[in-house]
Amino acid sequence: MAGALRKTMLYLGLADDRGGQEYAEEYHDEYVEDYQDFEPEVETVSETHAQVTPISRGVQPVAPAPELRRITTVHPRSYNDARQIGEAFRAGTPVIINLSDMDDSDAKRLVDFSAGLIFGLRGSIERVTNKVFLLSPENVEIAGEDRGENARAGIFNQS
């Protein structure tokens, strides 16, 4: 089949009449002649030690926690109040969220937002009553009754 295709291409003028083998032999001979006189240059490299930056960060000293003087209480009316909660918590202030003025779907969204916030900033969340939650930063420890394994593991169930 390749022969018929080659003949058709030659007839239409799409291919040269030279044989492919002749071209490869000419190229090969020329290629070999160019590299017969070639001698690779060998360089000696002296050993130098470069500074290496470690990949993992060492244990950084923790700054002393500022004295707790303020707790922010938020009574959100819509999900748009999540920014106020996030800014206060990011500043290192414990936040009490009272969701009693919100409908259940927006309250659930706000609790989901708060759970993500405490996960990202390594804080903790605790349910005080049915619709009141306490978000505490990493440097604040909450003393009270132990609510079992889930409280220690940081798992929060909204149900």
Short mmCIF file of all heavy atoms in Angstrom, two decimals, residues 7 10 16-17 20 24 34 36 59 72 78 83 91 115 133 152 159:
data_model
loop_
_atom_site.label_atom_id
_atom_site.label_comp_id
_atom_site.label_asym_id
_atom_site.label_seq_id
_atom_site.Cartn_x
_atom_site.Cartn_y
_atom_site.Cartn_z
N LYS A 7 3.93 6.10 -5.30
CA LYS A 7 3.84 6.30 -6.75
C LYS A 7 2.84 7.39 -7.10
O LYS A 7 3.06 8.20 -7.99
CB LYS A 7 3.45 4.98 -7.44
CG LYS A 7 4.58 3.97 -7.46
CD LYS A 7 4.14 2.71 -8.16
CE LYS A 7 5.26 1.68 -8.12
NZ LYS A 7 4.86 0.41 -8.73
N LEU A 10 4.41 10.74 -6.33
CA LEU A 10 5.40 11.07 -7.36
C LEU A 10 4.72 11.56 -8.63
O LEU A 10 5.15 12.53 -9.25
CB LEU A 10 6.28 9.86 -7.66
CG LEU A 10 7.30 9.48 -6.59
CD1 LEU A 10 7.98 8.16 -6.94
CD2 LEU A 10 8.34 10.58 -6.43
N ASP A 16 9.65 13.94 -3.99
CA ASP A 16 10.83 13.91 -4.84
C ASP A 16 11.05 12.50 -5.34
O ASP A 16 10.68 11.52 -4.68
CB ASP A 16 12.06 14.36 -4.06
CG ASP A 16 12.06 15.87 -3.83
OD1 ASP A 16 11.39 16.59 -4.59
OD2 ASP A 16 12.74 16.30 -2.87
N ASP A 17 11.73 12.42 -6.45
CA ASP A 17 12.00 11.12 -7.04
C ASP A 17 13.23 10.47 -6.42
O ASP A 17 13.50 9.32 -6.66
CB ASP A 17 12.19 11.27 -8.55
CG ASP A 17 12.07 9.95 -9.29
OD1 ASP A 17 11.58 8.98 -8.68
OD2 ASP A 17 12.48 9.88 -10.44
N GLY A 20 14.78 7.67 -0.42
CA GLY A 20 15.02 8.10 0.95
C GLY A 20 16.31 7.54 1.50
O GLY A 20 16.98 8.13 2.33
N ALA A 24 19.66 9.50 3.45
CA ALA A 24 20.09 9.13 4.80
C ALA A 24 21.56 8.74 4.81
O ALA A 24 22.29 9.07 5.73
CB ALA A 24 19.24 7.98 5.32
N ASP A 34 32.06 14.87 10.79
CA ASP A 34 32.12 16.04 11.66
C ASP A 34 32.52 15.67 13.08
O ASP A 34 33.19 16.44 13.76
CB ASP A 34 30.76 16.76 11.70
CG ASP A 34 30.49 17.51 10.41
OD1 ASP A 34 31.45 17.73 9.66
OD2 ASP A 34 29.32 17.88 10.19
N GLN A 36 34.33 12.90 14.10
CA GLN A 36 35.51 12.07 14.28
C GLN A 36 36.63 12.82 14.97
O GLN A 36 37.39 12.26 15.74
CB GLN A 36 35.99 11.54 12.93
CG GLN A 36 35.12 10.43 12.40
CD GLN A 36 35.56 9.95 11.03
OE1 GLN A 36 36.41 10.57 10.39
NE2 GLN A 36 34.96 8.86 10.58
N VAL A 59 10.21 25.37 65.19
CA VAL A 59 9.23 25.79 66.19
C VAL A 59 9.46 27.26 66.48
O VAL A 59 10.54 27.66 66.89
CB VAL A 59 9.36 24.94 67.47
CG1 VAL A 59 8.39 25.42 68.53
CG2 VAL A 59 9.15 23.49 67.16
N THR A 72 -16.88 39.99 72.39
CA THR A 72 -17.83 40.62 71.48
C THR A 72 -19.09 39.79 71.41
O THR A 72 -19.04 38.57 71.25
CB THR A 72 -17.21 40.73 70.07
OG1 THR A 72 -15.99 41.46 70.16
CG2 THR A 72 -18.15 41.45 69.12
N SER A 78 -29.06 38.82 59.57
CA SER A 78 -28.93 38.16 58.27
C SER A 78 -27.51 37.63 58.12
O SER A 78 -26.64 37.91 58.95
CB SER A 78 -29.25 39.13 57.13
OG SER A 78 -28.23 40.11 57.03
N ARG A 83 -19.46 39.13 58.38
CA ARG A 83 -18.21 39.89 58.32
C ARG A 83 -17.83 40.45 59.70
O ARG A 83 -16.67 40.40 60.10
CB ARG A 83 -18.33 41.01 57.31
CG ARG A 83 -17.07 41.81 57.18
CD ARG A 83 -17.19 42.90 56.16
NE ARG A 83 -15.92 43.58 56.07
CZ ARG A 83 -15.40 44.02 54.96
NH1 ARG A 83 -16.03 43.84 53.83
NH2 ARG A 83 -14.24 44.62 54.96
N ALA A 91 -9.37 39.25 65.11
CA ALA A 91 -8.62 40.15 65.99
C ALA A 91 -8.25 39.48 67.31
O ALA A 91 -7.55 40.08 68.12
CB ALA A 91 -9.43 41.42 66.24
N ALA A 115 -17.82 27.74 61.80
CA ALA A 115 -17.03 26.52 61.91
C ALA A 115 -15.80 26.61 61.02
O ALA A 115 -14.69 26.22 61.40
CB ALA A 115 -17.87 25.30 61.55
N PHE A 133 -23.90 30.59 70.42
CA PHE A 133 -22.62 29.91 70.27
C PHE A 133 -21.48 30.81 70.74
O PHE A 133 -21.56 32.03 70.61
CB PHE A 133 -22.39 29.53 68.81
CG PHE A 133 -23.40 28.55 68.29
CD1 PHE A 133 -24.58 28.99 67.71
CD2 PHE A 133 -23.18 27.19 68.39
CE1 PHE A 133 -25.52 28.11 67.23
CE2 PHE A 133 -24.12 26.30 67.91
CZ PHE A 133 -25.28 26.75 67.34
N ARG A 152 -13.39 17.48 72.88
CA ARG A 152 -11.92 17.48 72.85
C ARG A 152 -11.41 17.40 71.42
O ARG A 152 -10.39 17.96 71.09
CB ARG A 152 -11.38 16.31 73.66
CG ARG A 152 -11.37 16.57 75.14
CD ARG A 152 -10.60 15.51 75.88
NE ARG A 152 -11.19 14.18 75.86
CZ ARG A 152 -12.25 13.82 76.58
NH1 ARG A 152 -12.84 14.70 77.36
NH2 ARG A 152 -12.72 12.59 76.54
N SER A 159 -26.82 19.40 64.83
CA SER A 159 -28.16 18.88 65.10
C SER A 159 -28.55 18.97 66.55
O SER A 159 -27.82 19.17 67.45
CB SER A 159 -28.27 17.45 64.64
OG SER A 159 -27.29 16.65 65.26
#
